[in-house]
Amino acid sequence: MTETSARTQEVRTTDGIVLRFAGDSGDGMQLTGDRFTSASALFGNDLATLPEFPAEIRAPAGTLAGVSSFQVHISDHDITTPGDAPTVLVAMNPAALLSDLHLLKPGGTVIVNADAFNERNLAKAGYESDPLEDGSLDGYTVVTAPMTDLTKRACQDLGVKPREAERSKNFFALGLVSWLYSRPVKPTVDWIDGKFAGRDTVIAANKAAFAAGHAFGETAELGASRLMVQPAALEPGTYTNINGNTALSWGLIAASQQAGIPLFLGSYPITPASDVLHELARHKNFGVRTLQAEDEIGAVGAALGAAYGGHIGVTTTSGPGMALKAETVGLAVSLEVPLVVIDIQRGGPSTGLPTKTEAADLLMAMYGRHGEAPLPIVAAQSPSDCFFTAIEAVRLAVEHRTPVILLSDGYLANSSEPWRIPDVKQLDSIAVNFASKPNHVNDEGESVFWPFRRDERLVRPWAIPGTPGLMHRIGGIEKEDGSGNISYEPDNHQAMVRLRAERIALIAHHIPPAEVVGDPDASVAVVSWGSTWGAITSARRRIESAGHRLAHIHLRHLNPLPANLGDLLRSFERVVVPEMNTGQLCRMLRAEFLVDARSVTKVSGQPFTAAELVEACWEEIGTTGAAR
Amino acid sequence: MTDVPVTTRKDWATDQEVRWCPGCGDYSILTAVQLLMPELEVRREDTVFVSGIGCAARFPYYMNTYGLHAIHGRSPAVATGLAMARGDLHVWVVGGDGDMMSIGGNHLIHALRRNVNLNILLFNNQIYGLTKGQYSPTSERGKVTKSTPHGSVEQPFNAISLALGAEASFVARTHDMDRGHMQEMFRRAHDHPGAAFVEVFQNCNVFNDGAFAALTKRDARDSMLIDLCHGKPVRFGADGEFGVVMDGGRPRVVSVADVGADALVVHDETDPDPSVAFALSRLANTNDVPTPIGVFRAVERSEYGSAVTSQIAASQSKAGPGDLHKLLHSRPTWQVA
């Protein structure tokens, strides 16, 4: 600890901090990180978060397996990632320190709960000697605080039992970092009042711990470590801090409003998708129906049934659930009914890494059904973008009468960022057009309804039960184009397979063209999809500020691909495709356009860092290391 | 519903050629349904038949209503979504024993448990027909089929016991040789709010011919079928000479002359406790002993779709109809000038 006086110390200003809270699963690190984030958001910083938690609800206390972390990047300018490496690590116990110290930037700050560094905890984590004393932390700025003890003392006159008081130590940590990084106090105090309303001793204990942490910074003369991150100059507007799953849920509600038909969600609990079910279940006043089904197949089946009945049928899941839903999605392809299938991807195969991110379901989305069963695929690029991607998925499903797969991932699901709330009057409407009258005259001269008579976009009518005169029977058996009657005729099947492919391909004319961000005349283009957008954007800015050129093409629509994409890709010397899989989009682009795209991949359960992508682009740009 | 147009069987039939094997029990069930529909005073456009895969699952193609022929086993799930979304519809689910008790067993029991407003008709022929003759989950132990050349070693489901165990609020059994009885059961299913489960003993004359003959042939019915009638003693035989008593919690077939009519169990389909109904379902686990048919259970219970709709209404009266602008501003916000 540095020997300085708080009185004489002015708070230094910095352009950004990456703070990582790490502790036991039971220590409340997600909540602590979330509160720090909210206070920073209200203060006006730009920010991005990366919550990381174990798949077990409570792994054995004090062990490496039980470490739960929350990383937040706050900044005075526009940022797109939760930061490559934390500049500050808050470690609530030895296991947290051991697990996350290697991530910390050289020279960074370590804030530890000294009370937790006892022999027992050191042994549980696997330390042979105390890292606070053996020189392991040389080179870092170390702030030690007896958080447990000071929290208990702060609570001793409040009638809170010591054991319960101890549980408030995360608020001590929050108070300390709030002082160190000049966060406003009021949002957290107000939040405690609201969150724990009716539990007065809990409110008192949490507030006392928070105040004690705040005071500790001052009395322990930590002034030299104080930093301030000014508000970011973001586009004018009203902002809220939002994560991907909430944005996705709200996007589905918005789509239902824009389409003027109710939303139906069939879902089965699965990490990291369950929060969408939780969120939508809260908003019944929007006419939302949610079914927690008996299994993944029941969930998609019910969504399909609701869609057949004229609702926006949606099912949400993650990879393993996608595998189970495949047959029903194939039925929706055959029936040509609107259905939105949302895959919040996670590490696979099988149970894989339930709480870690990966984006390896693209080819499953493309081809994971039997027979020729094409459908549109869209992917979200950032937490707030999940809102607009959900609307787009519903638009494609409803207007083109097709199942649509929306790909998000575990990182987008749980990460948050400030979002400039859109004007709801500016949202596009979605055209439903239920069929209301016969559309064909048969050989006997009677007006009849043909469920598979298509319009110029090859879209069939959506005639919902309850409509007089349009009764019809459809199913998964091949049907005659037009009449929809069962047909096993060879020529008809061949025509139907081609029609189903063509009508999805035609959607390319109903989506925006691919756009280049950065320099369209650069020799290297990075092509991306999904949550890699943030790290690539950050990497591109670094490359540009080093005086080099880079083009970035980010794809929201993965099937069909934008109509101009082939020509665009062929206009670059080199094409690089970074993905959190082993090269799935890259394969698609090579197959589709015969371009010599190069794959850059990461499948560690962690998102790309900007530095990794700068490195990858640099190789392509062919600039020497000296230019860095 | 006086404004419902008068219809005849012809209005409820489609122009599609019926493709079941000649002599299949499905024909008589189809006829029973098509003849019944005009009496139910419902509109064809408000009626939907949903099915999975199998011979029985072709049923929707022959009904001039809305029809959805889905995939194997999933019809109760698909119908659940439809009935939840559209409380104004009359949704029928048709399937066989393989479709609904094997691959779709999970969806079936949960649709029954939730009490979704569905009329579920299980055509039980104790065999896989469309895949040409493998044993099914209702085939008897020892059944020799292509997939069990040495005889099945599996315990079959008793469909009524299963439905009762799954908390079904309406459970009935009928057979394909008695149109009047079928129609009565189907009508009761239609009238029942919530999930109504009707098992139909159906003959597959190609792969399992005569499976139920010992029960359903005309001269056997009196002594082999126990027709359950609400409020009446459980009694059968040409002259009502047999009956059922509860003996230490177990049902037992007796001669009325031996025990006296007062000793017979009086059938109460509305009993909130399903124990007696379950006990009656256990009287017969093979097709060679007297077997109960009729309504085992018919109790009032909150219907799923309406319960969901009431929550929506309550939420709207409390919070007002959804306001998107308000939703997007429902978390802490800040202004950037």
Side-chain angles (χ1 to χ4, degrees):
Chain A
M1 271 181 275
T2 43
E3 303 251 335
T4 43
S5 158
R7 286 183 311 253
T8 57
Q9 205 73 45
E10 272 190 28
V11 178
R12 286 179 298 136
T13 297
T14 182
D15 63 351
I17 300 173
V18 179
L19 186 70
R20 189 172 177 95
F21 295 93
D24 219 37
S25 301
D27 283 344
M29 290 298 96
Q30 300 303 322
L31 185 145
T32 309
D34 198 51
R35 291 333 304 157
F36 186 87
T37 302
S38 293
S40 300
L42 293 175
F43 183 68
N45 296 125
D46 195 12
L47 59 87
T49 70
L50 174 64
E52 285 197 82
F53 37 85
E56 295 76 20
I57 302 301
R58 285 280 165 90
T63 62
L64 287 175
V67 173
S68 170
S69 305
F70 187 103
Q71 185 165 315
V72 51
H73 183 185
I74 59 172
S75 165
D76 68 359
H77 58 279
D78 175 24
I79 52 165
T80 57
T81 76
D84 288 3
T87 52
V88 182
L89 172 65
V90 178
M92 298 301 283
N93 68 7
L97 184 67
L98 186 61
S99 132
D100 288 7
L101 183 65
H102 70 100
L103 300 170
L104 190 62
K105 240 187 180 166
T109 301
V110 185
I111 301 170
V112 297
N113 175 15
D115 291 332
F117 283 70
N118 54 36
E119 239 172 75
R120 200 160 154 259
N121 285 342
L122 289 167
K124 268 195 213 166
Y127 274 118
E128 287 175 3
S129 63
D130 186 347
L132 304 185
E133 286 164 6
D134 66 6
S136 306
L137 300 179
D138 289 353
Y140 298 107
T141 301
V142 182
V143 177
T144 57
M147 297 188 192
T148 312
D149 184 50
L150 291 177
T151 300
K152 281 188 201 165
R153 283 204 225 167
C155 296
Q156 66 189 7
D157 296 331
L158 301 172
V160 185
K161 290 185 192 121
R163 182 166 278 234
E164 280 169 25
E166 198 181 323
R167 287 164 59 184
S168 295
K169 64 180 182 294
N170 59 327
F171 280 94
F172 183 100
L174 183 60
L176 176 54
V177 294
S178 296
W179 183 82
L180 280 170
Y181 306 114
S182 318
R183 300 291 91 190
V185 169
K186 195 169 176 298
T188 299
V189 172
D190 290 349
W191 180 85
I192 292 174
D193 280 329
K195 176 77 183 175
F196 302 103
R199 295 153 71 190
D200 291 346
T201 53
V202 178
I203 290 177
N206 286 341
K207 281 187 182 169
F210 182 68
H214 209 264
F216 179 85
E218 235 165 304
T219 52
E221 301 193 339
L222 300 175
S225 302
R226 286 193 88 180
L227 287 173
M228 161 61 100
V229 179
Q230 295 294 347
L234 299 173
E235 234 182 295
T238 304
Y239 282 75
T240 193
N241 188 44
I242 197 159
N243 70 29
N245 275 351
T246 306
L248 188 61
S249 309
W250 291 2
L252 292 172
I253 291 174
S256 155
Q257 299 272 297
Q258 296 312 103
I261 53 175
L263 179 65
F264 181 101
L265 175 71
S267 189
Y268 184 78
I270 186 169
T271 302
S274 304
D275 281 341
V276 179
L277 170 61
H278 305 161
E279 180 66 19
L280 287 175
R282 297 174 57 216
H283 298 296
K284 294 217 158 44
N285 62 324
F286 282 89
V288 178
R289 283 168 177 78
T290 54
L291 169 72
Q292 182 178 313
E294 56 275 14
D295 57 33
E296 295 281 1
I297 302 173
V300 66
L304 185 144
Y308 174 76
H311 284 214
I312 294 172
V314 180
T315 188
T316 46
T317 188
S318 189
M322 284 300 283
L324 288 166
K325 292 179 198 295
E327 190 193 10
T328 309
V329 177
L331 174 63
V333 169
S334 177
L335 292 176
E336 303 185 27
V337 293
L339 178 70
V340 177
V341 180
I342 297 176
D343 176 9
I344 320 281
Q345 301 162 97
R346 66 188 214 190
S350 190
T351 308
L353 307 171
T355 62
K356 308 288 181 201
T357 198
E358 199 162 280
D361 296 350
L362 176 59
L363 292 182
M364 174 163 75
M366 278 296 287
Y367 302 116
R369 292 163 294 285
H370 67 279
E372 298 286 354
L375 49 71
I377 302 167
V378 293
Q381 68 180 43
S382 73
S384 63
D385 184 57
C386 289
F387 178 84
F388 299 104
T389 306
I391 296 177
E392 177 65 356
V394 173
R395 181 185 76 84
L396 292 175
V398 167
E399 295 188 351
H400 294 271
R401 241 74 92 201
T402 175
V404 173
I405 291 179
L406 186 162
L407 297 173
S408 174
D409 63 40
Y411 164 52
L412 293 181
N414 293 313
S415 295
S416 66
E417 65 177 353
W419 179 42
R420 191 162 66 93
I421 301 172
D423 180 354
V424 299
K425 291 188 215 78
Q426 304 294 316
L427 297 176
D428 290 336
S429 65
I430 295 173
V432 173
N433 297 327
F434 289 134
S436 59
K437 50 182 193 295
N439 58 359
H440 181 73
V441 177
N442 68 11
D443 294 344
E444 284 82 53
E446 300 161 336
S447 289
V448 294
F449 178 66
W450 271 21
F452 278 80
R453 192 187 171 115
R454 303 167 186 282
D455 68 11
E456 67 288 352
R457 298 164 305 154
L458 302 181
V459 173
R460 80 173 190 90
W462 190 7
I464 60 169
T467 315
L470 306 191
M471 287 86 73
H472 62 280
R473 277 67 49 193
I474 51 174
I477 300 185
E478 187 61 283
K479 40 219 142 298
E480 183 180 66
D481 192 36
S483 74
N485 290 333
I486 292 179
S487 168
Y488 301 118
E489 291 302 315
D491 289 348
N492 176 72
H493 179 58
Q494 176 140 323
M496 286 296 273
V497 168
R498 296 206 165 131
L499 273 170
R500 282 188 285 261
E502 196 184 342
R503 73 188 206 88
I504 300 305
L506 280 176
I507 293 173
H509 302 300
H510 302 273
I511 60 174
E515 278 179 25
V516 177
V517 179
D519 191 339
D521 296 324
S523 53
V524 176
V526 174
V527 183
S528 61
W529 68 280
S531 67
T532 54
W533 174 84
I536 294 169
T537 299
S538 181
R540 176 181 55 77
R541 287 174 184 166
R542 285 188 208 176
I543 285 166
E544 285 169 350
S545 55
H548 293 270
R549 306 191 304 175
L550 187 69
H552 180 196
I553 300 163
H554 190 82
L555 302 174
R556 164 177 282 167
H557 296 90
L558 295 154
N559 194 43
L561 292 162
N564 66 332
L565 187 62
D567 289 342
L568 195 55
L569 294 186
R570 284 186 280 264
S571 72
F572 294 95
E573 249 175 72
R574 301 302 301 265
V575 173
V576 192
V577 188
E579 293 178 83
M580 294 194 295
N581 56 49
T582 58
Q584 300 189 4
L585 176 64
C586 190
R587 249 171 240 162
M588 282 168 56
L589 296 178
R590 293 175 74 100
E592 190 75 13
F593 304 119
L594 287 174
V595 290
D596 186 17
R598 190 199 141 203
S599 185
V600 175
T601 66
K602 183 173 184 183
V603 281
S604 65
Q606 303 289 323
F608 276 109
T609 64
E612 289 165 342
L613 292 166
V614 167
E615 181 111 2
C617 295
W618 222 262
E619 266 178 46
E620 294 299 323
I621 293 168
T623 310
T624 59
R628 278 175 255 179
Chain B
M1 294 217 281
T2 50
D3 58 340
V4 172
V6 173
T7 54
T8 64
R9 175 186 178 180
K10 209 169 126 264
D11 297 307
W12 292 84
T14 62
D15 59 359
Q16 300 294 298
E17 183 194 347
V18 182
R19 296 192 188 182
W20 288 313
C21 307
C24 176
D26 288 353
Y27 283 97
S28 65
I29 307 174
L30 178 64
T31 303
V33 172
Q34 285 177 343
L35 284 168
L36 174 70
M37 295 311 291
E39 296 175 20
L40 297 182
E41 296 189 331
V42 295
R43 293 171 183 277
R44 290 177 299 171
E45 61 264 27
D46 294 338
T47 305
V48 187
F49 279 82
V50 180
S51 65
I53 295 292
C55 296
R58 296 297 177 95
F59 203 92
Y61 289 111
Y62 312 133
M63 294 298 300
N64 190 12
T65 62
Y66 282 88
L68 184 53
H69 181 211
I71 44 179
H72 205 21
R74 315 306 167 199
S75 56
V78 172
T80 291
L82 178 61
M84 263 180 90
R86 296 288 305 276
D88 56 321
L89 301 175
H90 307 281
V91 183
W92 297 75
V93 179
V94 177
D97 39 309
D99 192 33
M100 285 215 261
M101 313 226 85
S102 195
I103 190 168
N106 199 31
H107 307 304
L108 175 70
I109 58 175
H110 288 277
L112 295 176
R113 170 181 73 83
R114 291 190 181 102
N115 207 27
V116 185
N117 196 18
L118 303 172
N119 308 317
I120 302 172
L121 310 185
L122 170 74
F123 297 5
N124 182 7
N125 56 19
Q126 303 187 337
I127 199 77
Y128 279 78
L130 203 57
T131 51
K132 300 194 170 69
Q134 299 82 7
Y135 76 110
S136 90
T138 54
S139 296
E140 68 275 18
R141 211 174 247 280
K143 181 86 179 170
V144 174
T145 70
K146 285 177 191 159
S147 56
T148 49
H150 307 291
S152 163
V153 294
E154 296 183 17
Q155 174 69 26
F157 274 136
N158 175 324
I160 300 293
S161 303
L162 183 85
L164 289 167
E167 306 289 347
S169 61
F170 182 95
V171 179
R173 177 187 277 151
T174 184
H175 66 93
D176 62 2
M177 299 293 284
D178 187 342
R179 184 190 297 160
H181 193 265
M182 278 194 283
Q183 289 185 329
E184 192 195 332
M185 294 303 108
F186 299 160
R187 185 197 304 275
R188 289 286 309 274
H190 168 79
D191 291 344
H192 179 77
F197 177 82
V198 183
E199 178 189 25
V200 188
F201 285 161
Q202 175 245 324
N203 191 43
C204 171
N205 58 316
V206 173
F207 294 108
N208 200 17
D209 195 23
F212 302 102
L215 305 175
T216 61
K217 62 181 183 227
R218 198 167 289 280
D219 57 0
R221 288 181 205 167
D222 283 345
S223 56
M224 293 298 279
L225 292 178
I226 308 172
D227 199 358
L228 301 174
C229 299
H230 178 61
K232 295 198 174 141
V234 179
R235 205 166 169 166
F236 64 106
D239 303 309
E241 66 272 31
F242 301 114
V244 176
V245 295
M246 291 300 286
D247 185 357
R250 291 195 178 84
R252 190 160 59 87
V253 171
V254 292
S255 156
V256 178
D258 293 347
V259 299
D262 288 350
L264 300 180
V265 60
V266 175
H267 183 51
D268 179 7
E269 63 187 32
T270 64
D271 188 347
D273 182 338
S275 304
V276 176
F278 187 82
L280 291 171
S281 78
R282 307 308 293 176
L283 269 174
N285 285 307
T286 51
N287 298 334
D288 53 3
V289 295
T291 299
I293 60 168
V295 177
F296 285 74
R297 178 171 167 80
V299 296
E300 294 273 334
R301 201 169 84 222
S302 159
E303 188 274 309
Y304 187 69
S306 332
V308 171
T309 307
S310 334
Q311 283 191 342
I312 289 174
S315 169
Q316 284 174 338
S317 72
K318 193 173 159 212
D323 176 336
L324 189 58
H325 177 86
K326 237 167 87 182
L327 173 68
L328 302 191
H329 291 75
S330 61
R331 296 182 164 208
T333 61
W334 69 95
Q335 297 291 327
V336 172

